[in-house]
Amino acid sequence: MSFTFTQQPASIVGANSPIIYQAFESTNFANAGFRYEFKVYVWSGTTSIPATPIVTINRLPDQYGGGRAWIDVHKIVTQYITTEFLVNGTYKPNIGSGAKRVAVKCQGIWTAGSTAVITSNLSLATKGYSYTAEGFNVGVSKSVFTDKTAVYVTSETTNAYLWYDASVITSITCGSATVTPNTVTTSDQVFQGIEIKQLMTAGGVWGTNANITFVKAGDDVVMPVVFDCQNKYGQQDVLFLNRYGVYDSYLFNGVSRRTYAVESEKYSQPIFKQADLAQSWSYGVQIATPFLQNSTEVMTVNTDWIPEADVPIVEQIFYSTNVLILSGSNVLSTRVIDTAFEFKKRTNEKLIQYTIQLEYNQPKINKIVR
């Protein structure tokens, strides 16, 4: 076959990294008027490709690339994927519009003819990412979408989540509880989640160390849950969008503290502004009127002593585009404002602990902007 098409794997891909397709028609690319036509499809639903693409991209053969052409569609795909799919507290959430199916059809067309259409694999894209060292066209091979080796909770933990590939996981067991995933027919059902506290409560093991077993044909995935003691300063539970594009959970069970910063300006009024101009000027009259420009709140959190295997999870919090602090029944959006991350190893540090500064994405005080 003279047409070579390099494409994405038939698996889960991260749309925050390049999604590249490369075409090469070795026989006809030098023909008059030759171009590559890429039709891009992004949709929700079943595996049937829609009749109409969302965009058609034409590329001329690259004279410096041996007649090849390539496209990167990740910016197109991310426009259709949302991060608001999690309803906090839901026992068995689905990803909804947090994942979309992606496919590309490619054809070589020239003045006197055309090649047959090549259809790519079907991929499922989330707002996750791949590491540069892994190269391009990398698919997710995991069935439980976390890099944690264990989940840490306390009696004060409100919510903690694990997400899994419901097309391969047949059931989830914890204690006496067994959960059967919803049947997968559409894209929003491939990623399904489980809220750990509710699962352990249903299994009669909340308050103890236990295992959550994701049953998969020939290869079960076992996730230990460690029930820890809350530190005397109060813990901070967070949810963050991890590298797989789902909301992972993390317990900061070390010292935490809040700090505030205020930016303001003032507007000076005339000193004679009185109810009666006959009155003498008084020090009680407010001449300089302050206006609050911005008020920020920063939460500084610390991990407890963690194993080296958990360091990549902390790293993903630094990279995350959406970090949520759980505060009782409230879910507050934050972002990491630290600019450096040190990958600590047990051989060097002996004891590993991290401090992270999270700035709330809402001002401390609601205000009217002048």
Side-chain angles (χ1 to χ4, degrees), residues 6 29 37 44 102 157 160 197 201 254 291 294 300 313 350-351:
T6 306
F29 77 88
E37 183 182 78
S44 294
V102 180
T157 295
K197 182 177 181 178
T201 301
F291 290 93
N294 193 22
T300 302
I313 303 300
K350 307 303 180 186
L351 296 174

Side-chain angles (χ1 to χ4, degrees), residues 31-85:
N31 290 344
F34 186 92
R35 74 180 192 276
Y36 295 99
E37 183 182 78
F38 297 89
K39 292 183 177 180
V40 182
Y41 301 82
V42 182
W43 76 100
S44 294
T46 66
T47 55
S48 298
I49 299 178
T52 305
I54 61 170
V55 66
T56 298
I57 302 173
N58 291 306
R59 286 282 189 267
L60 296 177
D62 187 347
Q63 60 177 320
Y64 302 106
R68 294 168 174 78
W70 61 272
I71 60 171
D72 178 5
V73 302
H74 84 276
K75 287 188 177 180
I76 297 172
V77 176
T78 54
Q79 295 180 56
Y80 293 86
I81 303 175
T82 68
T83 57
E84 292 80 23
F85 56 85

Side-chain angles (χ1 to χ4, degrees), residues 4-294:
T4 303
F5 192 37
T6 306
Q7 56 178 309
Q8 295 294 311
S11 63
I12 298 161
V13 298
N16 282 334
S17 289
I19 302 179
I20 293 175
Y21 297 84
Q22 179 181 260
F24 177 46
E25 217 297 332
S26 60
T27 302
N28 300 294
F29 77 88
N31 290 344
F34 186 92
R35 74 180 192 276
Y36 295 99
E37 183 182 78
F38 297 89
K39 292 183 177 180
V40 182
Y41 301 82
V42 182
W43 76 100
S44 294
T46 66
T47 55
S48 298
I49 299 178
T52 305
I54 61 170
V55 66
T56 298
I57 302 173
N58 291 306
R59 286 282 189 267
L60 296 177
D62 187 347
Q63 60 177 320
Y64 302 106
R68 294 168 174 78
W70 61 272
I71 60 171
D72 178 5
V73 302
H74 84 276
K75 287 188 177 180
I76 297 172
V77 176
T78 54
Q79 295 180 56
Y80 293 86
I81 303 175
T82 68
T83 57
E84 292 80 23
F85 56 85
L86 177 63
V87 179
N88 189 49
T90 305
Y91 183 27
K92 296 184 287 186
N94 286 356
I95 200 167
S97 294
K100 296 284 186 177
R101 298 194 191 278
V102 180
V104 171
K105 292 183 179 181
C106 186
Q107 183 180 22
I109 300 174
W110 61 94
T111 303
S114 63
T115 67
V117 175
I118 296 179
T119 301
S120 74
N121 293 323
L122 266 63
S123 299
L124 190 68
T126 70
K127 281 199 174 176
Y129 59 87
S130 58
Y131 289 113
T132 305
E134 296 172 341
F136 294 122
N137 296 40
V138 179
V140 175
S141 59
K142 281 181 172 286
S143 54
V144 178
F145 303 119
T146 183
D147 289 330
K148 289 190 291 195
T149 57
V151 177
Y152 293 86
V153 297
T154 75
S155 59
E156 301 302 317
T157 295
T158 54
N159 297 128
Y161 288 91
L162 289 171
W163 294 77
Y164 58 93
D165 185 343
S167 66
V168 297
I169 298 296
T170 57
S171 64
I172 305 164
T173 61
C174 182
S176 61
T178 299
V179 173
T180 302
N182 297 326
T183 302
V184 177
T185 55
T186 57
S187 57
D188 62 339
Q189 296 166 329
V190 176
F191 280 75
Q192 295 183 31
I194 193 74
E195 203 285 302
I196 295 170
K197 182 177 181 178
Q198 295 180 63
L199 175 64
M200 295 182 71
T201 301
V205 292
W206 178 250
T208 65
N209 294 343
N211 289 336
I212 300 176
T213 301
F214 294 85
V215 180
K216 178 184 175 185
D219 187 21
D220 292 353
V221 178
V222 178
M223 180 63 65
V225 180
V226 179
F227 203 86
D228 208 352
C229 294
Q230 185 193 54
N231 83 89
K232 65 180 181 179
Y233 303 102
Q235 70 190 50
Q236 292 296 327
D237 292 282
V238 303
L239 302 176
F240 66 97
L241 209 62
N242 68 10
R243 67 169 297 200
Y244 305 108
V246 297
Y247 282 99
D248 212 337
S249 55
Y250 196 84
L251 169 66
F252 287 96
N253 199 20
V255 177
S256 61
R257 58 179 62 87
R258 296 175 186 238
T259 57
Y260 308 97
V262 178
E263 297 176 17
S264 61
E265 64 177 27
K266 65 179 181 179
Y267 169 70
S268 296
Q269 303 180 63
I271 62 172
F272 52 78
K273 187 176 180 181
Q274 300 278 339
D276 185 346
L277 289 179
Q279 294 180 5
S280 61
W281 181 76
S282 168
Y283 284 102
V285 176
Q286 184 172 346
I287 301 303
T289 303
F291 290 93
L292 178 63
Q293 286 184 318
N294 193 22

Side-chain angles (χ1 to χ4, degrees), residues 289-307:
T289 303
F291 290 93
L292 178 63
Q293 286 184 318
N294 193 22
S295 55
T296 58
E297 180 178 357
V298 174
M299 172 69 73
T300 302
V301 294
N302 287 270
T303 66
D304 204 346
W305 304 115
I306 64 173

